[in-house]
Amino acid sequence: MNKSKDLKIMTEALAVKSGKILLGRRKKNGFGQGKWLGLGGKVEHGESIEQAMVRECEEEANIKVTDFVKRGVLTFYYTNDPNMEVHYYEIISYTGDPSDSDEMEVSWIDLKTIPYEKMWPNDRYWLPMFLKQEYFEGEFWFDEEYDITKHEIKRRKYE
């Protein structure tokens, strides 16, 4: 089986400042509705991963990302949904004030009270590495209830 076949390429971006992290809660019905997560989405035909990340941040939180650092790549294998390769970025600087959109409710959340219980279960594994500014790579497998059945995640040097 070719694991890389038919992967949806996605982005997720998070900003951290003054002991808080910028997260969004997905409003729309469907995949991820009601969960807290970073800003991001699908890479559209003809755009780079970085262009998609900048576009998604503008669409979801009304900010224009001006500087960022790649923090990791994770691949997700789902029983009920398309498999995804997600590229994670830390937003270093942006213009505009983060505000809600049709897609997301955005909020600065204290790093001591990150709502992991209202996030995807894999976030407990990679977000601590992200917050330490470590680069990570890994894979997660989910059952039909979106519980993790297997995972592998490692710190890597960014190349």
Side-chain angles (χ1 to χ4, degrees), residues 22-40:
L22 181 64
L23 295 177
R25 182 166 35 201
R26 185 139 333 265
K27 291 180 181 179
K28 292 190 173 187
N29 288 336
F31 194 77
Q33 185 207 10
K35 293 198 181 297
W36 285 100
L37 58 156
L39 308 172

Side-chain angles (χ1 to χ4, degrees), residues 13-24:
L14 304 104
V16 180
K17 71 175 186 181
S18 304
K20 296 186 178 208
I21 187 167
L22 181 64
L23 295 177

Side-chain angles (χ1 to χ4, degrees), residues 94-156:
Y94 60 88
T95 58
D97 291 318
S99 60
D100 295 352
S101 67
D102 290 342
E103 296 183 40
M104 298 282 256
E105 165 195 346
V106 295
S107 183
W108 286 101
I109 296 175
D110 192 291
L111 292 173
K112 295 176 187 149
T113 60
I114 293 173
Y116 285 110
E117 70 283 355
K118 296 177 183 172
M119 300 170 77
W120 286 104
N122 61 78
D123 294 351
R124 293 179 186 277
Y125 296 92
W126 65 263
L127 190 51
M129 287 187 258
F130 180 99
L131 294 171
K132 291 178 189 170
Q133 298 183 327
E134 297 172 332
Y135 186 82
F136 54 89
E137 292 178 352
E139 298 177 301
F140 287 83
W141 288 260
F142 293 87
D143 65 16
E144 54 282 341
E145 302 295 323
Y146 300 100
D147 292 322
I148 296 170
T149 59
K150 177 180 164 186
H151 77 280
E152 179 179 311
I153 189 165
K154 296 180 180 170
R155 291 169 183 83
R156 297 260 192 234

Side-chain angles (χ1 to χ4, degrees), residues 39-133:
L39 308 172
K42 184 179 178 193
V43 176
E44 300 293 343
H45 181 73
E47 70 183 348
S48 70
I49 295 169
E50 290 80 10
Q51 288 169 330
M53 181 268 300
V54 169
R55 175 185 52 76
E56 289 285 352
C57 289
E58 199 160 2
E59 290 174 2
E60 293 183 346
N62 303 299
I63 59 172
K64 175 77 172 172
V65 175
T66 55
D67 192 19
F68 56 87
V69 174
K70 189 167 188 176
R71 292 284 177 228
V73 179
L74 296 175
T75 305
F76 300 102
Y77 303 102
Y78 296 99
T79 302
N80 301 331
D81 293 289
N83 298 329
M84 298 178 191
E85 178 182 279
V86 182
H87 296 254
Y88 292 85
Y89 294 88
E90 180 179 359
I91 299 167
I92 304 301
S93 61
Y94 60 88
T95 58
D97 291 318
S99 60
D100 295 352
S101 67
D102 290 342
E103 296 183 40
M104 298 282 256
E105 165 195 346
V106 295
S107 183
W108 286 101
I109 296 175
D110 192 291
L111 292 173
K112 295 176 187 149
T113 60
I114 293 173
Y116 285 110
E117 70 283 355
K118 296 177 183 172
M119 300 170 77
W120 286 104
N122 61 78
D123 294 351
R124 293 179 186 277
Y125 296 92
W126 65 263
L127 190 51
M129 287 187 258
F130 180 99
L131 294 171
K132 291 178 189 170
Q133 298 183 327

